[in-house]
Amino acid sequence: VIKSLLNLSFTRDIDPRPIVVNGMANLSSSFRLCPRLLEEGAIQTLEAYVPRVTKPEILTTIANVLYNLSTNRPVRSDMVVKGAVRVCSKIVKMPGVTDECYFLTAKALGNMSLDRSSRNRMLGDGCV
C-alpha cells in the first residue's frame, strides 16, 4: 500500500498530491508504519511536493506528517538523515503558511532535536 501510494505521485492524469499527502498523514499516525514510510521515501516525496504546493491546507497536512513521524522515537534520526529538516525549512518559507502549520513544523523540529546524535546535523541542514 505504501509503495503504491508514493508511486501515485508520478501519475500524470490527475493531481495526486492531495491524495498522497492525505494518505501519508493517515499512515504516519500508525507507530508501526512510520519506519516503513521512511524506507519507501516519504521524506523525499514531501520535499519534492513542498515547492509546488499552492494550498495552505496541503502544507499543513505535510507538516502534520512530519510531526506524526517525529513522535516515533526510533525514526527521528533517520528523518534528519533523509532531509526532514530541509522539508521543514521549505515549508515555513512558503507563502500562505498557517499558524497551525508553523506550530506543527516547530513541534516536529523540537521532537527531532531530542535525539542527541541529530542536533549537529540539524544545524547544518538549516534548522536555525
Side-chain angles (χ1 to χ4, degrees):
V1 171
I2 294 171
K3 194 175 275 191
S4 299
L5 179 68
L6 296 178
N7 284 331
L8 183 63
S9 59
F10 298 109
T11 303
R12 296 186 193 280
D13 300 334
I14 60 168
D15 182 12
R17 286 176 283 191
I19 298 167
V20 173
V21 171
N22 285 324
M24 288 173 63
N26 290 333
L27 293 170
S28 67
S29 63
S30 170
F31 185 81
R32 289 195 278 163
L33 291 177
C34 288
R36 181 73 178 178
L37 276 169
L38 290 179
E39 285 175 25
E40 296 297 337
I43 300 296
Q44 295 84 349
T45 301
L46 294 175
E47 187 172 13
Y49 278 7
V50 171
R52 296 182 284 166
V53 170
T54 56
K55 297 180 181 178
E57 59 270 11
I58 296 177
L59 283 176
T60 302
T61 305
I62 290 172
N64 190 35
V65 171
L66 293 171
Y67 170 71
N68 286 344
L69 291 171
S70 74
T71 60
N72 190 330
R73 181 176 294 164
V75 302
R76 288 179 187 154
S77 61
D78 201 21
M79 284 180 69
V80 174
V81 169
K82 292 186 182 283
V85 175
R86 286 190 312 272
V87 178
C88 289
S89 177
K90 288 179 181 181
I91 288 172
V92 298
K93 293 175 184 173
M94 293 296 292
V97 176
T98 63
D99 289 342
E100 181 183 9
C101 188
Y102 281 124
F103 177 76
L104 290 168
T105 304
K107 291 288 286 181
L109 287 168
N111 286 342
M112 286 185 277
S113 73
L114 294 174
D115 184 33
R116 286 187 179 157
S117 64
S118 298
R119 290 182 190 147
N120 287 336
R121 184 173 188 114
M122 289 178 72
L123 291 172
D125 283 350
C127 183
V128 183

